[in-house]
């Protein structure tokens, strides 16, 4: 909607575009390190996989579920959650040592205008603790043509090796009234 600086464009590509608002709730819910129980980790895995490996997640290679070690290493690399908490929050089979995964489809996802929105970083604020807060706007040309559907602040931490971690998200103002109730892919 607005012209983006080169920095905002690069951070959009790196941190938010592959996540989007469809099929996971990282960008469309309020959460922080102390309140992570509502994130849909099982769905989020495929998006973080694509960020990490720069290729799509091939879920059919895991008909029994995603092995515990692979799942926990990827999720804990990008989010401030412990493996123990993941086993509590996500759909985890202790006996098989796997995390469930289901492809996004007609039985576990109801399309909405919000899901088609594109996240764009519009501002960057460096915090005193070394973290960075990205102001992100959900651009949806299906509903609003000249403004963002919602604006949220995504806090991330960049590492010296170029990697990063998501630390929290906060929807600003009353933007959550535009966010449909999140539909988990798996029954919890």
């Amino acid at each position: 909607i607005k012209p983006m600086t080169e920095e905002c464009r690069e951070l959009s590509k790196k941190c938010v575009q592959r996540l989007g608002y469809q099929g996971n709730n990282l960008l469309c819910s309020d959460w922080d390190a102390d309140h992570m129980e509502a994130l849909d980790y099982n769905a989020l895995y495929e998006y973080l996989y694509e960020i990490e490996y720069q290729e799509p997640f091939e879920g059919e290679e895991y008909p029994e579920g995603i092995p515990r070690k692979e799942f926990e290493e990827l999720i804990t690399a990008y989010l401030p959650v412990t493996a123990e908490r993941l086993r509590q929050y996500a759909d985890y089979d202790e006996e098989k040592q796997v995390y469930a995964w289901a492809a996004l489809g007609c039985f576990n996802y109801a399309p909405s205008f919000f899901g088609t929105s594109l996240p764009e970083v519009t501002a960057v604020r460096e915090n005193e603790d070394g973290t960075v807060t990205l102001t992100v706007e959900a651009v949806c040309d299906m509903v609003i043509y000249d403004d963002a559907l919602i604006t949220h602040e995504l806090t991330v931490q960049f590492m010296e090796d170029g990697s990063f971690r998501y630390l929290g998200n906060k929807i600003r103002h009353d933007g959550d009234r535009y966010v449909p109730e999140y539909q988990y892919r798996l029954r919890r």
Side-chain angles (χ1 to χ4, degrees), residues 23 39-47 57 59-72 75 86-87 89-104 108 182 184-188:
L39 290 177
D40 189 354
Y41 297 98
N42 299 84
L44 188 56
Y45 182 85
E46 74 179 270
Y47 298 91
F57 173 68
E60 56 276 356
E61 293 178 13
Y62 299 96
E64 299 295 316
I66 302 165
R68 186 183 94 184
K69 184 176 188 225
E70 287 178 42
F71 189 93
E72 291 173 357
I75 298 288
L86 268 179
R87 289 180 216 131
Y89 298 155
D91 189 333
Y92 175 67
D93 185 326
E94 179 72 41
E95 185 178 313
K96 293 181 182 177
Q97 300 281 300
V98 296
Y99 286 86
W101 182 81
L104 193 61
N108 61 14
Y182 182 73
Y184 291 87
R185 289 192 203 182
L186 303 166
R187 301 282 179 224
R188 295 172 83 173

Side-chain angles (χ1 to χ4, degrees), residues 9-188:
R9 191 176 334 284
E10 288 302 315
L11 289 170
S12 292
K13 288 178 188 174
K14 182 174 186 164
C15 300
V16 297
Q17 285 181 347
R18 286 193 173 105
L19 289 172
Y21 301 102
Q22 179 177 308
N24 76 84
N25 63 345
L26 189 83
L27 299 179
C28 58
S29 59
D30 290 333
W31 64 273
D32 60 33
D34 295 325
H35 303 94
M36 299 186 69
E37 60 279 351
L39 290 177
D40 189 354
Y41 297 98
N42 299 84
L44 188 56
Y45 182 85
E46 74 179 270
Y47 298 91
L48 296 178
Y49 183 96
E50 188 170 331
I51 290 170
E52 179 69 17
Y53 300 109
Q54 307 292 309
E55 63 183 44
F57 173 68
E58 301 294 338
E60 56 276 356
E61 293 178 13
Y62 299 96
E64 299 295 316
I66 302 165
R68 186 183 94 184
K69 184 176 188 225
E70 287 178 42
F71 189 93
E72 291 173 357
E73 284 179 0
L74 182 66
I75 298 288
T76 59
Y78 281 93
L79 294 167
V81 63
T82 65
E84 293 76 24
R85 288 276 184 214
L86 268 179
R87 289 180 216 131
Q88 292 174 0
Y89 298 155
D91 189 333
Y92 175 67
D93 185 326
E94 179 72 41
E95 185 178 313
K96 293 181 182 177
Q97 300 281 300
V98 296
Y99 286 86
W101 182 81
L104 193 61
C106 60
F107 295 110
N108 61 14
Y109 179 72
S112 71
F113 63 87
F114 183 76
T116 65
S117 300
L118 300 173
E120 292 182 350
V121 174
T122 58
V124 180
R125 182 180 75 234
E126 294 187 22
N127 303 314
E128 290 181 11
D129 63 1
T131 63
V132 175
T133 298
L134 308 174
T135 300
V136 182
E137 295 186 352
V139 179
C140 181
D141 62 7
M142 290 177 65
V143 177
I144 300 175
Y145 294 100
D146 60 353
D147 202 3
L149 193 58
I150 66 164
T151 300
H152 54 101
E153 293 181 336
L154 179 67
T155 302
V156 296
Q157 180 179 30
F158 293 101
M159 313 302 181
E160 288 183 20
D161 65 1
S163 64
F164 65 94
R165 292 182 91 196
Y166 299 103
L167 300 178
N169 190 61
K170 177 73 177 149
I171 298 173
R172 290 186 7 193
H173 310 296
D174 64 346
D176 56 352
R177 68 185 171 119
Y178 292 107
V179 179
E181 184 175 341
Y182 182 73
Q183 184 177 355
Y184 291 87
R185 289 192 203 182
L186 303 166
R187 301 282 179 224
R188 295 172 83 173

